[in-house]
Amino acid sequence: MELVYTGSVKDLYKDGNKLVFKYSNRYSIFDWGEMPDEIPHKGEALASMAASFFEHLAKKGIPSHFVGTVNPNTIEVKAVKVLRPHFIEGQYDYSMYQDRPTEALVPLEVIFRKHLGQGNSLEGRLKKNPAYLADLGLKEVPSGATTFDPALVEFSTKLETSDRYLTKKEIADMNIVSEGEQKALRAQTQEIVVELEKLFQSFGVKLWDGKVEYAFGKKKADGDRELLLVDSIGPDELRLTYEGLPLSKEFLRQLYGNTSWSDAVKKSKELAAERKTQDWKSICKDELKEVPKKLSAQQIEVSALLYQALANEVASVVGRKKPFAEEMTLKRWHEKAQEILGN
């Protein structure tokens, strides 16, 4: 196998016309990339959950690039092309999508929201840009107590150094997807949300929001392209809670949330936007002199338990063998997480 990409969380290998995702114990928050320490067994947990979710959704009629499990921390998927937009004179050029490529990654993240909660980004963004309300089909700015049924769906960029939310007109102007394909992205995401919400509710977990990614498949009779669910589904892509505590990457964000480094990340992104540069990370490291510190041994232990317990629960519900010992449960994680978060 040939290593084709090393990410902050997983490594991609090419094996003929397939890709192999090897999940590591690395983690990333705030778009930083690889953090200074690792979470034991995280890779095995993510691989198990990805397989569980893809297999479960396939049974519900939602196609994906998933082929099968290779070993405890590795899955095999169908390969798709990644066409990266060029950064020219302060903006990204997506002209390579005008030819309507197939078997290629859709350069958009699709974000869904079921529940907002306090401190959500949507409320503040809508207050700054009320015109975006109509784009989302909303009549008023929602509050932290708002629940959406069906889920609210937004789009953001995928292949840029910092994600930015997009209106329907901006997506149309980028000429990435047709109007029909944009509607299909929304509809298929709604189907996924319904199935995931039912799955998590079965063992007491609340699904708040998340993101999914797609690839263009073959062209259909109407000229639009099929959509395949790609990348991964798990606690790094979803915001979940269990008995009031964050059961996702949000847990890791909270561990770093009140640090000088997290403040510097926000400031450096603002400075990068003002300067029209992509390299906010260098501003954070070189100008603001801030890098993330390692987690404590106790924080690492509880973080590892989060991933293992959730992988066990998901596998059990979809009929797969639990990947970790029986004592790795959400109840046990909750008890230990309360101590760390001071709840």
Side-chain angles (χ1 to χ4, degrees), residues 21-75:
F21 286 0
K22 183 177 182 181
Y23 294 87
S24 73
N25 294 332
R26 304 186 297 267
Y27 67 100
S28 170
I29 57 173
F30 304 140
D31 299 323
W32 183 259
E34 185 177 347
M35 296 292 279
D37 43 21
E38 295 189 348
I39 299 174
H41 304 293
K42 178 176 182 280
E44 296 171 45
L46 291 180
S48 173
M49 282 186 273
S52 291
F53 287 126
F54 283 133
E55 290 178 357
H56 179 70
L57 292 172
K59 294 175 183 176
K60 305 298 180 179
I62 299 169
S64 75
H65 67 163
F66 179 71
V67 176
T69 299
V70 178
N71 57 47
N73 68 340
T74 306
I75 66 170

Side-chain angles (χ1 to χ4, degrees), residues 220-231:
K220 301 184 295 182
D222 62 5
D224 284 342
R225 291 157 290 184
E226 297 176 346
L227 296 171
L228 298 177
L229 183 63
V230 299
D231 197 48

Side-chain angles (χ1 to χ4, degrees), residues 126 128-136 167:
L126 287 173
K128 291 180 181 179
N129 183 18
Y132 189 41
L133 275 170
D135 202 79
L136 295 179
T167 64

Side-chain angles (χ1 to χ4, degrees), residues 105-160:
L105 183 71
V106 178
L108 302 171
E109 284 188 349
V110 187
I111 298 98
F112 65 84
R113 304 177 193 278
K114 281 295 296 180
H115 312 280
L116 281 188
Q118 299 303 316
N120 69 86
S121 66
L122 178 65
E123 193 175 351
R125 288 189 288 112
L126 287 173
K127 288 178 179 177
K128 291 180 181 179
N129 183 18
Y132 189 41
L133 275 170
D135 202 79
L136 295 179
L138 299 175
K139 295 182 179 179
E140 59 184 13
V141 176
S143 70
T146 300
T147 291
F148 297 105
D149 188 19
L152 183 74
V153 174
E154 294 185 89
F155 293 90
S156 77
T157 55
K158 163 64 183 171
L159 300 176
E160 301 180 7

Side-chain angles (χ1 to χ4, degrees), residues 209-282:
D209 54 47
K211 62 180 182 179
V212 289
E213 298 175 19
Y214 294 92
F216 297 115
K218 298 177 181 178
K219 285 189 178 180
K220 301 184 295 182
D222 62 5
D224 284 342
R225 291 157 290 184
E226 297 176 346
L227 296 171
L228 298 177
L229 183 63
V230 299
D231 197 48
S232 286
I233 301 178
D236 287 359
E237 293 78 29
L238 307 173
R239 186 160 64 104
L240 311 165
T241 56
Y242 177 71
E243 296 186 5
L245 295 188
L247 184 70
S248 58
K249 196 158 67 169
E250 182 63 25
F251 179 74
L252 296 169
R253 293 190 189 102
Q254 288 195 17
L255 296 181
Y256 281 98
N258 294 318
T259 63
S260 58
W261 169 72
S262 67
D263 292 337
V265 166
K266 182 179 179 181
K267 179 63 177 177
S268 62
K269 288 183 177 181
E270 292 171 353
L271 290 172
E274 291 174 6
R275 300 172 188 177
K276 294 185 178 180
T277 177
Q278 306 173 73
D279 195 6
W280 62 267
K281 192 172 177 180
S282 290

Side-chain angles (χ1 to χ4, degrees), residues 72-84:
N73 68 340
T74 306
I75 66 170
E76 190 174 64
V77 301
K78 180 181 178 181
V80 297
K81 300 184 293 287
V82 179
L83 306 176
R84 296 186 178 277

